[in-house]
Amino acid sequence: MKSEDSKFEGTDSYIATEELKMAVNAALTLQRPLLIKGEPGTGKTMLAEQVAQSLNTDLIQWHIKSTTRAQQGLYEYDAVSRLRDSQLGDEKVRDIGNYIVKGKLWQAFEADERQVLLIDEIDKADIEFPNDLLLELDKMEFHVYETQQRIQAKKRPLVIITSNNEKELPDAFLRRCFFHYIRFPDKDTMKQIVQVHFPNLQNELVEESLRSFFEIRQMNGLKKKPTTSELLDWLKLLMAQDISPEVLRNQDNRSAIPPLYGALLKNEQDVQLFEKLAFLSRREG
């Protein structure tokens, strides 16, 4: 079956909810960009990798920074190199096309088969960045002024756009997207995720680590709650250090900071808050 006819059904290495599968397939049906929001560490970027794998196609990744411009996704004209080559008498300066650097959208458009194009963390860029891509993502074409080319998508790519909600996106941009918010996994879903990554992990350690993990997430006043990726890092360390379930289960340790807490708590304010609450809990006990 060709990738154009496929649907996303999830993969063995990625636990996708039915809602998330429906969102991906809705974007495929509507031929609109899929805008994914959610807490950092909830698998937004990994989703694009798994969708490409599921659809048996390639993934083109465009990671956005605060300095990224929309034009870079189309192409860039390297005028400096052309000037240098002209001073050196290089014959290739006669063809301006030699100095056109293709961007990620161009790469996706010129592919013979449908690609998955990831525009990762779009909210890091300038507020005008999404608006500057409206026409290109809608029409799936753009004009190269230096060579007078019109670049059109041979196969319309599936565009997956992620955002951590650092800033609001323009309404005109949102109207052109299919939106899905990845809710933080509940305990049962998280257990499935853990089992995918650590299939041989003993069940007792999984249960006790998840209990500790969700207790930390429920604490009021945390500046940064631990996420899925941090839980997986913590479990990897617990296994490497051969921490037993009894250490996590021990009643005294429920009033203390967890072992290898640096994988879960990422700033000193949260560590101090945890230590303060642990001290108060021990005093009351």
Side-chain angles (χ1 to χ4, degrees):
M1 181 181 291
K2 295 182 178 180
S3 63
E4 286 81 359
D5 304 317
S6 302
K7 289 187 176 182
F8 177 58
E9 300 294 345
T11 67
D12 293 338
S13 57
Y14 187 87
I15 301 299
T17 63
E18 289 302 318
E19 284 185 344
L20 182 54
K21 293 176 189 177
M22 288 177 63
V24 173
N25 291 321
L28 285 167
T29 300
L30 295 173
Q31 296 191 330
R32 289 185 178 273
L34 173 61
L35 175 60
I36 297 289
K37 290 187 178 184
E39 285 186 45
T42 50
K44 299 186 297 296
T45 302
M46 189 180 293
L47 170 66
E49 299 171 0
Q50 299 302 314
V51 169
Q53 179 182 324
S54 174
L55 299 181
N56 193 29
T57 189
D58 295 326
L59 172 66
I60 297 175
Q61 302 185 57
W62 186 15
H63 298 290
I64 307 303
K65 302 178 182 178
S66 59
T67 56
T68 303
R69 296 177 292 107
Q71 180 64 33
Q72 293 171 313
L74 308 179
Y75 71 93
E76 292 186 277
Y77 168 48
D78 191 354
V80 174
S81 292
R82 192 181 188 208
L83 175 61
R84 184 186 63 243
D85 289 345
S86 67
Q87 293 171 338
L88 296 173
D90 196 320
E91 284 296 316
K92 73 177 186 178
V93 299
R94 298 179 181 275
D95 183 1
I96 196 172
N98 291 323
Y99 303 93
I100 300 296
V101 181
K102 297 177 181 180
K104 300 297 185 180
L105 268 74
W106 190 330
Q107 294 173 32
F109 286 4
E110 72 177 359
D112 292 326
E113 299 296 333
R114 180 181 61 193
Q115 308 288 288
V116 174
L117 172 63
L118 170 64
I119 304 178
D120 200 22
E121 298 189 327
I122 194 173
D123 51 328
K124 283 188 174 180
D126 182 85
I127 189 63
E128 290 303 319
F129 179 92
N131 282 335
D132 291 341
L133 288 176
L134 282 179
L135 182 62
E136 290 77 11
L137 291 179
D138 196 27
K139 300 296 184 182
M140 286 289 151
E141 65 178 45
F142 63 90
H143 186 71
V144 182
Y145 295 98
E146 289 79 3
T147 60
Q148 295 302 304
Q149 292 174 274
R150 186 174 67 163
I151 307 301
Q152 291 180 298
K154 295 180 181 179
K155 299 286 185 180
R156 192 179 186 99
L158 170 61
V159 181
I160 297 179
I161 302 168
T162 71
S163 170
N164 289 327
N165 261 346
E166 291 185 10
K167 62 170 70 81
E168 289 296 322
L169 300 174
D171 288 345
F173 181 79
L174 294 175
R175 283 197 298 272
R176 288 166 169 81
C177 297
F178 188 88
F179 171 74
H180 181 74
Y181 183 85
I182 297 182
R183 295 183 179 88
F184 195 83
D186 58 23
K187 187 174 180 180
D188 289 338
T189 304
M190 189 66 81
K191 189 172 182 179
Q192 294 179 52
I193 293 171
V194 169
Q195 288 172 342
V196 164
H197 289 270
F198 305 110
N200 299 320
L201 191 60
Q202 57 175 306
N203 189 59
E204 282 185 279
L205 185 57
V206 173
E207 291 293 337
E208 291 302 323
S209 60
L210 286 179
R211 179 192 56 75
S212 296
F213 173 76
F214 279 102
E215 282 181 358
I216 292 173
R217 277 190 57 87
Q218 291 166 6
M219 288 174 57
N220 293 323
L222 279 185
K223 187 174 181 180
K224 183 188 181 306
K225 295 181 178 181
T227 63
T228 307
S229 62
E230 286 149 351
L231 170 64
L232 296 176
D233 285 345
W234 188 45
L235 282 168
K236 187 174 182 179
L237 288 172
L238 292 177
M239 293 170 62
Q241 297 296 322
D242 198 23
I243 303 295
S244 69
E246 287 72 22
V247 173
L248 301 178
R249 189 186 304 117
N250 189 299
Q251 188 63 40
D252 291 338
N253 280 298
R254 295 195 183 193
S255 301
I257 199 162
L260 302 167
Y261 66 86
L264 299 174
L265 304 174
K266 297 301 177 121
N267 61 69
E268 63 275 13
Q269 295 98 317
D270 288 347
V271 173
Q272 290 168 3
L273 173 64
F274 200 103
E275 289 174 336
K276 181 179 179 181
L277 292 176
F279 171 76
L280 293 174
S281 179
R282 286 194 298 270
R283 190 170 67 174
E284 290 174 0

